[in-house]
Each structure stands twice: as structure tokens, then as C-alpha cells.
Amino acid sequence: MSIDRSNPRAMRTRAALIGAGRRLYRERPVDAVTVDDIVQAAAVGKGSFYNHFADREALVRAISSEIRASVETAVTLANEGVSDPARRMARAVCGYLRFGLDQAESAGVLVRIHSGHTSLSAPLNKGLVEDIENGLAAGRFTVATVEAGLLFVMGVTQLALVRVVQEPTPAFAVSLSQQMCALILRGLGLGGAEADLIAAQASDEIVRKGAAPAPPGETAH
């Protein structure tokens, strides 16, 4: 639905609806939130809702896309200057879980409304797909297909985020991210010792210390 972004009032209304949706979806399952709930929380008329969104599902998609875009920004920062697909994978997973600590409300919403952007062609999966493809081409990964790798990584990472949302403490997130990254890298085909080392480094640099730039001199293997 086209929105006149030059109209401040319209943009405020849209922001109020998205903000209300975020708050409600953080606390309740998607199916338990009605359009009436959303407009009441946003303090706008019901007609205003339909000026911006065709239905409740359209609002859910808008919120999900907005949050996932923020996650992608965090992952991009975490992987700045990193070229090795295995290290990029571990740092991306850790960036995702670090997002769960830094943006607890958004992470909680994402857990609730995760809409399964699992297609290879989904724009928000572009970076992950490229990393898996590059890992296969370089012989770093041995997973059967790109799609299998995508679903594996997304599944493990999403469930790890659920646990971080449930227990949002740095110590737990550091431990869990290290374990999950090692599991993912082993599942993609890396040897155990190297997977453990990369996982430990990524967890320390991204989850424990925050999304810092990659260490100087990091190069592909």
C-alpha cells in the first residue's frame, strides 16, 4: 500500500501503528492480537489502520521486515572486513544473538512473529545464501545443498534466539552462542577443533564484547 512519506501526520500514524504492534506482539501471540487491539493501543481510528495496511498480516510483515533489517545491519557490522565464510557464519550467528541482548523488545517480537523467510530468493537471506555458496565453492562447507544449509542455520539460530529472549543475560548468551556456532560449523562440514576455535572467537568478540569490527589482518583461509 502506497504511503505519502511527505505527509508528517500520515507517517506519525504509521509509526504509532507499528509501535503498538511491536508492544502487543512482544506480549501476545500474533493470533491473539486483533486490529481493534492495535488501533486502541496506537490511539488512532480504525479507518486509519486500513489507510496504511491492508490487514493485520500486512502489519506483521512490515514489523518483521523492519526488525530483520535491523538484524542485518548488526550482522553486516559484525562481518565488516571478514572474508572467510566460516568466520562470517559464526560472527553472523553471534551478531544475531547479540541483537537479542541489545534489542530485547525487538528480538521478542521477532520470536513471536517469525514468518519463516526461508526461501533462497528472499532478499533478507541474501547474505546467508552467499556465505553458504562461497563456503561450498571454497571447500570450507560440505553441506549437501545451499537450501539445506540455509534451513539448518536459520533453524538453529532462531531457536537460540528464543532461548536468549527467555534468559537475556550476557553470560548465558556467550555460552549458548559458542555452543550453537560450533554446532552450526560442524554441521556445515568444518572439523571439530577448527569449528570450536572459530566459535569461541566469534562469541567472545561479538557477544561478550559487542559487535566490534573484525580483527586487523583477518583473511580468508
Side-chain angles (χ1 to χ4, degrees), residues 47-155:
S48 295
F49 178 93
Y50 291 105
N51 288 336
H52 293 268
F53 302 102
D55 49 31
R56 186 187 60 179
E57 286 66 34
L59 173 64
V60 170
R61 288 193 297 272
I63 294 171
S64 177
S65 294
E66 185 178 89
I67 296 173
R68 283 176 61 89
S70 296
V71 174
E72 287 299 307
T73 297
V75 168
T76 298
L77 175 62
N79 271 332
E80 186 176 352
V82 179
S83 53
D84 173 39
R87 293 182 183 277
R88 287 182 60 83
M89 184 66 66
R91 292 175 70 87
V93 171
C94 286
Y96 193 65
L97 299 185
R98 178 72 207 190
F99 179 84
L101 290 178
D102 293 339
Q103 303 292 334
E105 179 181 281
S106 292
V109 173
L110 193 61
V111 165
R112 289 277 193 187
I113 68 175
H114 179 62
S115 53
H117 297 274
T118 56
S119 168
L120 289 174
S121 60
L124 289 171
N125 292 337
K126 182 175 182 290
L128 176 56
V129 169
E130 288 179 350
D131 284 339
I132 294 172
E133 290 175 340
N134 291 336
L136 288 169
R140 297 286 279 152
F141 301 155
T142 58
V143 67
T145 65
V146 174
E147 184 171 24
L150 174 71
L151 296 177
F152 171 58
V153 173
M154 291 185 70

